[in-house]
Amino acid sequence: MMEAGDQQTPGMVSKSPQFDFKWLDGWPVSEHKTQIETALWSPDLDLSPEERGQLWIRLSRADAMQSKAPQLYYKLITFESPASKEIAADIKRSFPNAEISEGINNPEKLVQLQNVLSAYSVFDNKVPYCQGFNFLVAMLLMYMDQENAFWVLASMMSFYGIGDLYRNDRPTLSQYLDVFHRLLGIHNKDAADYLDKLDFTPHLYVTEWFTTLFVYRLPQKACLRIWDLFFLHGQEVLFRIGLSLLSSPPLMCASFFTTPMEKMMTFMRNALLQTDINTVLETAYLISLPRAVCRWLSHDGIFLENNKLFIPTKVDEVQEIEEFHKNCVIS
């Protein structure tokens, strides 16, 4: 599975992307993936909040999902959430990202945050509500309305497989951490050996990177670029970014190899806040993952059954949910 010679190589990065958003008005995303990929990897990318929101909605197929059950979200928010106490506590927590904290910390946005979290906890009984969902939804609400945020979250959890990282009955997160550890040994053996010597395992730092898509640790500007690429490429981007972070200054410096176990977490957190995202992306772009890992991360056959997106639910009295489950074909 982990042969270094079995690689998947990305294409070239353009320094001057010509990003035409006409495709957002209905052009098939699949027919313009090369153009989109060139733009999203470029250091010159400059999107307005409205463009970024539409980008995420289209790439995630959230618009296709919503079209199958256009009134579903507003019916879901009328039900009592099984995680109402946890959600009420989480929306009062401070957000680590200053931009998100400022953007979400008003009564209207907090109500929307509670609505989306509550609706999703009713909608999906296979993924238990966890702290961390609030970071994902808060990020989405910065760039779209609450209904679109709900559907993008649904796509992230199912189609992109993020929900697997939160499931109680699946070992996916542990598998991801193990694979990351092995990849780190391939791409940055010195860092891997030193962290192993300290017994500083990926569980201690990669978990929060992956489950919050880096929102919990990186500045907003960096997170936006990572999320753009996540919606295009899926979970392989998380591995490539994580490996790149551990190879990029200011994290990878002489001080790294003299930092003791008890201070390594603080060292990493401080270094990440000083990281230049363009440098990280330039390194991540050149990182190739084994094809076997890319296939494993694609989730083919796990969430897509007979070309239908599997959406688990326990709200059987809402007819639209059953219809959605029967008819939602992702093309």
Side-chain angles (χ1 to χ4, degrees):
M1 177 177 176
M2 299 299 299
E3 293 85 352
D6 187 16
Q7 301 287 314
Q8 176 166 298
T9 304
M12 297 298 293
V13 175
S14 168
K15 297 295 185 182
S16 301
Q18 300 298 318
F19 199 56
D20 189 345
F21 275 87
K22 291 180 180 178
W23 67 272
L24 290 174
D25 296 327
W27 293 7
V29 172
S30 59
E31 294 181 11
H32 300 274
K33 185 173 181 178
T34 300
Q35 176 190 4
I36 299 166
E37 180 177 15
T38 299
L40 296 189
W41 278 103
S42 170
D44 298 331
L45 182 67
D46 183 20
L47 302 179
S48 69
E50 293 75 18
E51 288 174 332
R52 179 158 271 119
Q54 286 301 307
L55 176 73
W56 294 356
I57 291 167
R58 286 301 311 279
L59 290 181
S60 68
R61 302 175 174 91
D63 52 348
M65 297 169 68
Q66 181 180 352
S67 69
K68 299 296 182 179
Q71 301 302 316
L72 177 59
Y73 171 69
Y74 289 103
K75 290 193 174 183
L76 287 173
I77 62 177
T78 66
F79 290 87
E80 182 178 358
S81 167
S84 57
K85 291 183 179 179
E86 293 91 337
I87 291 171
D90 281 351
I91 63 173
K92 297 176 182 178
R93 297 181 190 275
S94 59
F95 290 88
N97 182 313
E99 290 86 350
I100 291 182
S101 182
E102 181 178 350
I104 205 74
N105 193 23
N106 65 72
E108 182 180 0
K109 285 291 185 181
L110 289 176
V111 169
Q112 294 175 9
L113 177 61
Q114 183 166 9
N115 284 346
V116 175
L117 293 172
S118 297
Y120 195 78
S121 69
V122 173
F123 181 63
D124 188 348
N125 68 340
K126 299 296 184 181
V127 181
Y129 177 81
C130 296
Q131 185 183 356
F133 289 10
N134 54 326
F135 300 131
L136 301 178
V137 175
M139 182 73 152
L140 294 173
L141 288 173
M142 297 281 289
Y143 301 96
M144 62 191 70
D145 62 39
Q146 60 180 308
E147 185 176 16
N148 279 314
F150 168 82
W151 287 112
V152 175
L153 178 67
S155 178
M156 292 169 72
M157 290 295 177
S158 55
F159 187 77
Y160 287 87
I162 293 299
D164 255 10
L165 304 183
Y166 288 96
R167 292 173 188 246
N168 292 328
D169 59 341
R170 296 182 66 91
T172 304
L173 180 58
S174 295
Q175 293 174 352
Y176 277 29
L177 299 177
D178 181 59
V179 169
F180 184 87
H181 183 254
R182 297 186 190 188
L183 290 172
L184 183 61
I186 294 173
H187 290 276
N188 191 339
K189 190 174 186 303
D190 289 343
D193 287 348
Y194 184 68
L195 292 174
D196 285 348
K197 179 181 176 182
L198 297 180
D199 197 25
F200 195 81
T201 66
H203 172 78
L204 298 174
Y205 61 100
V206 177
T207 298
E208 62 185 19
W209 291 359
F210 284 9
T211 56
T212 68
L213 274 63
F214 294 95
V215 169
Y216 196 69
R217 284 297 165 219
L218 291 181
Q220 178 80 348
K221 179 181 177 182
C223 291
L224 292 177
R225 299 298 307 279
I226 293 169
W227 281 48
D228 293 342
L229 293 165
F230 168 78
F231 284 118
L232 180 64
H233 292 294
Q235 293 197 33
E236 71 168 88
V237 164
L238 304 183
F239 285 80
R240 290 163 69 182
I241 294 295
L243 294 170
S244 177
L245 286 171
L246 287 171
S247 301
S248 302
L251 197 152
M252 192 48 49
C253 60
S255 298
F256 175 86
F257 295 98
T258 59
T259 301
M261 166 68 173
E262 63 272 14
K263 295 184 179 180
M264 181 57 77
M265 183 66 79
T266 299
F267 175 84
M268 278 192 172
R269 289 173 178 175
N270 292 336
L272 290 176
L273 294 176
Q274 303 172 46
T275 300
D276 176 68
I277 186 57
N278 286 330
T279 301
V280 172
L281 293 185
E282 184 176 351
T283 303
Y285 184 82
L286 299 175
I287 291 175
S288 295
L289 301 184
R291 285 193 177 92
V293 173
C294 293
R295 287 194 297 268
W296 175 59
L297 292 172
S298 70
H299 288 269
D300 289 339
I302 297 178
F303 289 96
L304 292 175
E305 299 176 356
N306 299 322
N307 202 33
K308 293 184 179 180
L309 183 64
F310 175 66
I311 302 292
T313 180
K314 60 187 175 190
V315 191
D316 296 330
E317 59 266 45
V318 181
Q319 182 179 357
E320 282 86 348
I321 296 181
E322 294 183 350
E323 294 301 315
F324 178 82
H325 190 177
K326 292 177 183 177
N327 301 321
C328 186
V329 177
I330 301 300
S331 59

